[in-house]
Amino acid sequence: MFEKKKSLNHFIVWKMIMVITLLNWSVVGINAQSVYYYYNQEKIYLNVDNNRIALSLKDTTLLKNDVANNQLVFNFSENVSVVYTQKQVTTVRNFYSEIDLTTAINTNSLQITSLTSTLNTLSYIDKISPCFTTNTGKKLGLTNKFYVKIKPNGEQALYSYASTKNVQVVGRHRYMNNWYILSCNKNNSKNALEYANMFYETGLFLATEPEFIYHDLVATNDTYYNDQWGLNNTGQYHSDYVGLDINIEDAWRITKGSNNVKVAIYDHGFEMNHPDLRSNVYGIGFDASTGTSPSQVRGSHGTACAGIIGAIGNNNLGIVGVAPQTNIVSISIRLVLSDTPEQLASGFNWAWRNGVDVISNSWGGYNPSSIITDAIREAVNNGRNGKGCIVVFASGNENNTQIRYPGSNIPEVLVVGAMSPCGERKNPSSCDGEWWGSCYGSQLDVVAPGVLIPTTDLQGNAGYNPNNHIHTENGGNKITSDYTNQDYTVWFNGTSAACPHVAGVAALILSVNPNLTGQQVRDIIEK
């Protein structure tokens, strides 16, 4: 469908047209100070990414054919919103795609004179939008949707103003009654970010936010109990630091958890039929990407986090979790491409409304989001029948003081950094020999074991040979367990591994005293 040319000069022309098109989207130039959205009454600035454009679609089939014919590089994903419209729950399904312009330009067989004008003629494309990067270099896409938080009794003002701008009110958020989802299309002169700002600047609404697409939120990268130094450090990696662990054996003399306590692992989703997890699994979970149950398994990361919290104890199998008699709940999200703020918010909304006590989040990053912040605060304030959920987040692995959002912006969140087997902040020079470092700073609440952690893996994964990664220097001992077992990994690293240790401890505390408020649990852990 796209016209092909023979001359390389058309690439230069096309590149110029693409830049001009981006400028004409009212995303004024490439100056980071000119592009922003609002969070907590402040402007959060972004950079325009001229190497990508975003497409909001009704359907992908025809476009995939065009991609095949023209060798363009696309990412595709389904974008689902569950809303109330006219007092009924409605599932709105759209599709999202990004074009990598750099790859397209460097493909000599593809000569395109005006990609955007061609795309705009296609009936199945709702909107072409710019893409962005944050000031830390993270990629953001933009859909044709934006969110508006109304004032009390402000629904009429929303519909009235939306009508004047010819944008559609898709519906009210499924869980948060004062948040609405709106959309624009290619007949509108502005994109979703510009409309979000326009609505906010009227003063009629409490908050607004464009629907960004996040790209990568993951914070990382009883047979084997003797290797779980985080639970019982016997000098597996350094003989001078025996006992530097979370003192779990002392805690287990009091409790190993309770099936009245539910811990949600909000991640890729975990394997609920894993032999070392399944008897602790509660319910069928929730998939925040689609707004439906059951939870899905979208990668291996969630299963690793789940094992640290709730792997079964005393079963002559694998590892043991921090809280081996506690119920674990799977909440899944993509975490790699096409997570929207509204989808991420829905996971927290679902969790506290379905009796979850602790929410473990081994992910984070990007600029702050009003709708995610509201959802977390609802869980913190309203969960557990008003006593409040305990929400735990990884600090990040960038070895700097830039704690990842949401931990950076929500004081009620427990922010967890990682320590090495030698009791130091995990950093590129720590005794474990790993190259990365845990984020730190004033927003950090606690550190926990976060490197060389044995845990559950997806069933059938190849496993790891410990002989490829042995630390015998400084008195360290060689690990001899056979990790060719395909259901486990020996070295799960990152603040992703530290975070579930703390979530498991929170579960143990609630097992002893379920009447504690969330704030009291956080205070106990921090002290």
Side-chain angles (χ1 to χ4, degrees):
M1 185 173 289
F2 301 139
E3 184 180 3
K4 296 183 180 180
K5 301 293 182 181
K6 296 181 180 179
S7 171
L8 186 61
N9 290 333
H10 285 90
F11 282 119
I12 300 173
V13 174
W14 177 63
K15 179 67 172 177
M16 293 174 62
I17 290 172
M18 288 309 307
V19 173
I20 292 170
T21 302
L22 287 168
L23 294 176
N24 288 337
W25 277 332
S26 302
V27 185
V28 186
I30 314 301
N31 185 351
Q33 299 306 305
S34 65
V35 184
Y36 57 86
Y37 69 99
Y38 288 97
Y39 173 80
N40 197 24
Q41 303 179 24
E42 295 183 358
K43 293 178 179 178
I44 305 296
Y45 290 97
L46 302 170
N47 307 293
V48 176
D49 185 348
N50 286 327
N51 293 322
R52 297 177 296 130
I53 58 173
L55 306 180
S56 297
L57 311 160
K58 297 183 181 72
D59 181 78
T60 62
T61 304
L62 294 174
L63 185 59
K64 286 179 179 178
N65 292 335
D66 295 333
V67 174
N69 292 336
N70 292 277
Q71 302 174 31
L72 286 169
V73 176
F74 283 71
N75 290 312
F76 289 100
S77 63
E78 187 175 16
N79 189 347
V80 178
S81 300
V82 182
V83 297
Y84 275 106
T85 57
Q86 299 178 346
K87 299 183 179 180
Q88 293 184 339
V89 176
T90 303
T91 300
V92 180
R93 298 184 183 278
N94 305 103
F95 296 90
Y96 176 82
S97 180
E98 288 181 7
I99 304 176
D100 184 337
L101 300 179
T102 302
T103 305
I105 292 169
N106 291 334
T107 303
N108 290 337
S109 61
L110 176 65
Q111 308 288 334
I112 307 174
T113 58
S114 179
L115 178 61
T116 54
S117 61
T118 303
L119 290 171
N120 268 319
T121 65
L122 304 178
S123 60
Y124 52 83
I125 293 183
D126 281 328
K127 187 74 172 176
I128 305 174
S129 303
C131 292
F132 307 97
T133 59
T134 69
N135 288 335
T136 58
K138 297 284 189 178
K139 292 180 179 180
L140 287 173
L142 179 66
T143 77
N144 65 328
K145 297 177 186 173
F146 60 103
Y147 316 137
V148 177
K149 183 180 182 180
I150 64 172
K151 294 180 178 180
N153 302 314
E155 187 176 36
Q156 183 56 46
L158 173 67
Y159 277 89
S160 177
Y161 190 70
S163 178
T164 66
K165 299 304 175 185
N166 196 31
V167 297
Q168 179 188 3
V169 179
V170 178
R172 175 168 58 84
H173 192 274
R174 180 184 186 181
Y175 294 112
M176 296 185 286
N177 292 340
N178 53 356
W179 279 97
Y180 285 73
I181 300 174
L182 291 82
S183 69
C184 55
N185 58 45
K186 58 189 173 188
N187 295 321
N188 296 110
S189 60
K190 299 183 183 301
N191 60 52
L193 180 145
E194 294 172 309
Y195 278 118
N197 291 347
M198 183 184 295
F199 273 61
Y200 182 79
E201 289 165 357
T202 65
L204 296 172
F205 311 104
L206 292 175
T208 65
E209 182 176 335
E211 183 172 82
F212 291 121
I213 294 291
Y214 297 141
H215 274 246
D216 189 1
L217 289 168
V218 177
T220 189
N221 166 31
D222 292 303
T223 304
Y224 308 132
Y225 177 63
N226 288 335
D227 298 338
Q228 291 183 260
W229 72 266
L231 304 188
N232 184 23
N233 192 340
T234 60
Q236 292 96 325
Y237 289 99
H238 202 301
S239 59
D240 291 341
Y241 296 96
V242 173
L244 281 175
D245 49 46
I246 68 171
N247 296 324
I248 196 64
E249 292 189 348
D250 289 339
W252 283 344
R253 294 187 182 98
I254 303 171
T255 182
K256 291 186 177 181
S258 166
N259 59 15
N260 292 320
V261 176
K262 302 176 184 66
V263 182
I265 295 88
Y266 192 2
D267 207 280
H268 275 152
F270 64 82
E271 278 191 338
M272 292 185 278
N273 66 345
H274 192 290
D276 219 359
L277 300 174
R278 59 191 175 204
S279 67
N280 281 342
V281 173
Y282 181 86
I284 61 174
F286 178 74
D287 182 65
S289 292
T290 62
T292 61
S293 294
S295 170
Q296 299 184 31
V297 179
R298 298 182 176 276
S300 62
H301 196 256
T303 300
C305 294
I308 293 171
I309 296 170
I312 303 159
N314 294 319
N315 62 345
N316 295 311
L317 184 66
I319 63 160
V320 59
V322 172
Q325 294 177 8
T326 294
N327 281 327
I328 51 177
V329 179
S330 181
I331 303 179
S332 51
I333 195 75
R334 293 186 181 94
L335 292 179
V336 177
L337 175 69
S338 197
D339 295 322
T340 68
E342 185 271 327
Q343 289 170 324
L344 288 162
S346 292
F348 296 103
N349 298 143
W350 184 90
W352 75 263
R353 285 174 168 83
N354 284 273
V356 166
D357 301 288
V358 182
I359 309 173
S360 181
N361 307 272
S362 290
W363 53 270
Y366 290 92
N367 289 351
S369 158
S370 294
I371 196 168
I372 294 175
T373 295
D374 273 11
I376 292 174
R377 285 195 165 134
E378 284 198 10
V380 166
N381 294 326
N382 301 330
R384 300 177 56 239
N385 296 317
K387 292 188 287 290
C389 293
I390 296 86
V391 179
V392 190
F393 266 93
S395 69
N397 302 334
E398 287 75 31
N399 195 43
N400 58 34
T401 58
Q402 303 300 310
I403 300 292
R404 289 188 175 197
Y405 173 83
S408 59
N409 289 67
I410 308 176
E412 300 89 344
V413 165
L414 267 175
V415 181
V416 184
M419 78 172 190
S420 80
C422 301
E424 58 200 325
R425 177 181 70 85
K426 177 67 197 78
N427 67 82
S429 300
S430 55
C431 70
D432 50 85
E434 295 284 348
W435 59 269
W436 61 278
S438 171
C439 290
Y440 58 99
S442 61
Q443 296 148 334
L444 187 71
D445 294 305
V446 66
V447 296
V451 63
L452 309 171
I453 305 299
T455 187
T456 46
D457 197 2
L458 295 180
Q459 297 172 76
N461 270 9
Y464 294 83
N465 184 344
N467 293 316
N468 295 331
H469 197 147
I470 298 300
H471 297 275
T472 57
E473 68 276 10
N474 300 319
N477 300 322
K478 183 174 181 179
I479 300 244
T480 57
S481 295
D482 176 16
Y483 281 93
T484 57
N485 186 310
Q486 294 184 336
D487 298 345
Y488 298 88
T489 175
V490 60
W491 290 295
F492 184 56
N493 292 348
T495 53
S496 283
C499 175
H501 280 86
V502 175
V505 170
L508 294 179
I509 293 170
L510 289 177
S511 298
V512 174
N513 188 349
N515 295 317
L516 293 172
T517 66
Q519 183 63 59
Q520 288 171 324
V521 174
R522 294 194 296 273
D523 288 344
I524 291 169
I525 290 174
E526 290 178 359
K527 290 176 181 178

